[in-house]
Amino acid sequence: MARLEALYPRSWAVPGDPGGLLLGHPESRVDAVLVALEVCAPVVASARARGAQLLLTHHPLLYQPLAAVREDRPLGELVAALIKGGIAHAACHTNLDVAPEGVNDYLARLLELEDAEVLQETGRDEWYKLTVFVPAGYEDRVRQALADDRVGVIGRYSHCAFASRGQGTYIPLEGAQPFRGERGTLSRVEESRLEMVAPASRLDAAVSRMKAVHPYEEPAYDLYPLANPGPSLGFGRVGKWPAAQPFARVVDRVKEVFGVKQVKIWGRPPESVERLALCSGSGGDLIATARQRGAQVYLTGEVRHHQATPGYPEGFAVLEVGHFASEAVFIPEWAGQLRRHFQESGLQVRVEAAQEEAPFSYL
Ligand SMILES: [Zn+2]
């Protein structure tokens, strides 16, 4: 839960949005996590069959205050099934929507948008300066490890770092296993002071990774909060393709990416599209924002009739792929990301993506 909080802080969620641990004991042991879009009977059964003690979803099961847990009612039945199965439930909802590498970033990546920016900013991740002292000759190894964790990314530049040489000193005390030097003797070592910027949400992972590759038993490092505004967080993304795409090809690509046979089109689409905005889930509120940001097409999960209908502007269209399709596509990706993050934190936890979700069908 601490690792999830570091990746998707609760403070990033919209006010009143439930999330975090919603059911279960915070000190129970977890060997396996099942990741799904939402809690439903087949997913709970799957969690039991797979021996998962935590069911992590994007949609929180307990969205409204619960007045009764009656097993003859659908919600109570699910709550009871989780408790009886010894399965805890946690959710990352709007904090996952806005997160770097979260649902919307992934959709922009799937559609190969370039220069994707946040469509509607909700806040900023905070910048920190991570400064680590590295023995001469080990700078590349530490820099690379941090860069692999997206530390030192400034705009379109990665691996941004500054290294300055100097002399470090230390006396290894009783019980120390020094990489260089003798116990009880002052060591003078040629070291580099390596500096990189890291967003707050990456700090835990970055420090663990740095420690894992640093040759010292006790790496010396400092974290400084910076006043520079950090990376933008928010709903939706807007970006462009290097060359305009025929609208028909955009629709084909959208169907392919989201695995849907049909896409609802609102408005009067342009013949070719260069700039596309998107928002996972219910993104009807951002139609006007998408137009203002110069998008010719706005793709979202679902819109309400009156959100889409004020006027039918020429050369602008809304593509509705379905709420479920717009988010379900992220679930296997999310499981993969979490597997990597947990592994990097030294957590021996199996992470699997649910395959059993099919909340509706067409006749
Ligand atoms: Zn949703």
Side-chain angles (χ1 to χ4, degrees):
M1 291 314 301
R3 198 69 197 89
L4 288 173
E5 175 62 22
L7 288 165
Y8 321 108
R10 292 277 306 124
S11 60
W12 291 358
V14 299
D17 184 27
L21 184 63
L22 297 173
L23 191 154
H25 199 293
E27 285 171 22
S28 55
R29 281 194 61 85
V30 174
D31 305 300
V33 181
L34 184 63
V35 177
L37 180 64
E38 57 201 8
V39 181
C40 55
V43 166
V44 175
S46 171
R48 285 185 88 147
R50 294 165 193 256
Q53 300 89 348
L54 176 63
L55 175 53
L56 176 66
T57 64
H58 181 43
H59 290 163
L61 175 65
L62 304 172
Y63 209 81
Q64 311 280 350
L66 198 57
V69 182
R70 286 184 48 160
E71 292 184 52
D72 59 341
R73 292 180 186 165
L75 189 54
E77 195 185 355
L78 286 174
V79 170
L82 286 167
I83 294 172
K84 286 178 186 166
I87 302 162
H89 164 51
C92 301
H93 190 217
T94 49
N95 46 340
L96 177 63
D97 287 323
V98 305
E101 300 292 303
V103 187
N104 286 288
D105 264 353
Y106 181 61
L107 298 189
R109 183 143 59 88
L110 278 180
L111 291 168
E112 295 168 336
L113 293 182
E114 291 189 349
D115 299 329
E117 293 172 355
V118 166
L119 183 58
Q120 179 163 285
E121 190 174 291
T122 53
R124 296 240 172 199
D125 205 350
E126 284 160 53
W127 272 133
Y128 277 77
K129 175 65 70 75
L130 169 59
T131 300
V132 53
F133 299 85
V134 185
Y138 287 83
E139 297 89 344
D140 285 349
R141 176 166 148 180
V142 174
R143 185 192 300 106
Q144 187 59 48
L146 289 169
D148 286 346
D149 212 30
R150 291 190 298 112
V151 168
V153 176
I154 302 176
R156 290 195 201 192
Y157 295 83
S158 69
H159 298 71
C160 301
F162 185 84
S164 47
R165 279 285 169 96
Q167 189 185 66
T169 64
Y170 51 80
I171 296 178
L173 302 176
E174 198 55 42
Q177 303 279 337
F179 172 67
R180 274 182 195 145
E182 301 284 320
R183 245 172 262 164
T185 309
L186 183 74
S187 285
R188 297 172 198 277
V189 185
E190 199 185 1
E191 292 180 343
S192 286
R193 175 194 164 102
L194 187 66
E195 304 179 35
M196 296 172 91
V197 287
S201 60
R202 308 298 304 171
L203 283 182
D204 277 9
V207 168
S208 309
R209 195 181 265 262
M210 176 274 288
K211 285 182 173 172
V213 300
H214 197 294
Y216 284 1
E217 186 179 23
E218 294 287 354
Y221 68 96
D222 305 311
L223 293 171
Y224 303 94
L226 300 181
N228 315 36
S232 188
L233 301 167
F235 291 113
R237 298 291 182 265
V238 56
K240 63 180 175 60
W241 287 299
Q245 311 271 331
F247 180 73
R249 196 185 297 164
V250 171
V251 171
D252 286 346
R253 180 78 186 125
V254 164
K255 286 182 186 170
E256 188 187 327
V257 161
F258 293 96
V260 291
K261 290 197 179 99
Q262 283 184 317
V263 178
K264 192 188 267 186
I265 301 166
W266 301 81
R268 290 182 285 174
E271 270 176 31
S272 64
V273 184
E274 201 175 349
R275 214 166 147 73
L276 179 130
L278 58 85
C279 184
S280 59
S282 300
D285 289 341
L286 297 184
I287 295 175
T289 311
R291 282 197 69 205
Q292 281 158 15
R293 295 288 297 273
Q296 298 143 302
V297 167
Y298 174 55
L299 178 147
T300 189
E302 63 178 332
V303 298
R304 291 200 305 274
H305 182 82
H306 291 294
Q307 287 175 317
T309 52
Y312 291 90
E314 188 66 49
F316 178 77
V318 176
L319 299 189
E320 195 181 346
V321 295
H323 191 125
F324 178 78
S326 76
E327 295 177 334
V329 69
F330 181 68
I331 300 306
E333 162 72 14
W334 194 22
Q337 289 185 11
L338 291 173
R339 209 171 287 137
R340 205 175 64 238
H341 289 306
F342 289 154
Q343 199 177 11
E344 283 167 9
S345 309
L347 290 170
Q348 305 288 323
V349 178
R350 189 154 49 84
V351 184
E352 291 173 14
Q355 314 278 332
E356 299 80 7
E357 293 185 271
F360 57 85
S361 60
Y362 289 101
L363 295 177

